[in-house]
Amino acid sequence: QVQLVESGGGLVQPGGSLRLSCAASGTILSIRAMGWYRQAPGKQRELVARITSVGSTNYADSVKGRFTVSRDTAKNTVYLQMNSLKPEDTAVYYCNGLVKTSWSTPGTDYWGQGTQVTVSS
């Protein structure tokens, strides 16, 4: 029904930058929120940043001031600009979308396949 496809991960040195993108496609009536989660080896998946349909954002404390989430509503795409990257940012980053596919149902969570971000010298 709904697919989320991420791009932009990779290897970067500490202090560097990366930009992740995630495009949603399929049977989409509206997207209530989109965001990014990450999961490092041996740790639980955690929220990184999220943006709602009206532009409200929230961030994990560990990324405030370094990461910026934004959204292109017309393209059903969410971005994550990551600056001043640290080794502890290394993780698989997953895109999430809270998507309405019909008027009669509430939003449903959909996930991308994940993209690896590695911060290392």
Side-chain angles (χ1 to χ4, degrees), residues 31-76:
I31 301 179
R32 300 180 64 182
M34 294 187 79
W36 295 91
Y37 290 71
R38 67 186 180 187
Q39 188 167 18
K43 295 188 177 181
Q44 289 188 333
R45 189 175 296 189
E46 63 175 357
L47 173 69
V48 177
R50 189 171 182 263
I51 184 166
T52 70
S53 59
V54 295
S56 297
T57 59
N58 61 295
Y59 295 89
D61 288 343
S62 60
V63 307
K64 284 180 180 177
R66 299 188 298 122
F67 291 11
T68 302
V69 63
S70 60
R71 179 176 173 178
D72 186 329
T73 302
K75 295 182 179 179
N76 288 333

Side-chain angles (χ1 to χ4, degrees), residues 1-2 32 96-101 105-110:
Q1 285 184 327
V2 176
R32 300 180 64 182
N96 169 265
L98 182 58
V99 182
K100 280 184 65 69
T101 57
T105 58
T108 301
D109 273 319
Y110 292 90

Side-chain angles (χ1 to χ4, degrees), residues 80-100:
L80 185 67
Q81 179 66 43
M82 304 185 292
N83 298 327
S84 302
L85 282 160
K86 304 175 181 180
E88 50 264 43
D89 294 317
T90 296
V92 178
Y93 283 69
Y94 296 92
C95 176
N96 169 265
L98 182 58
V99 182
K100 280 184 65 69

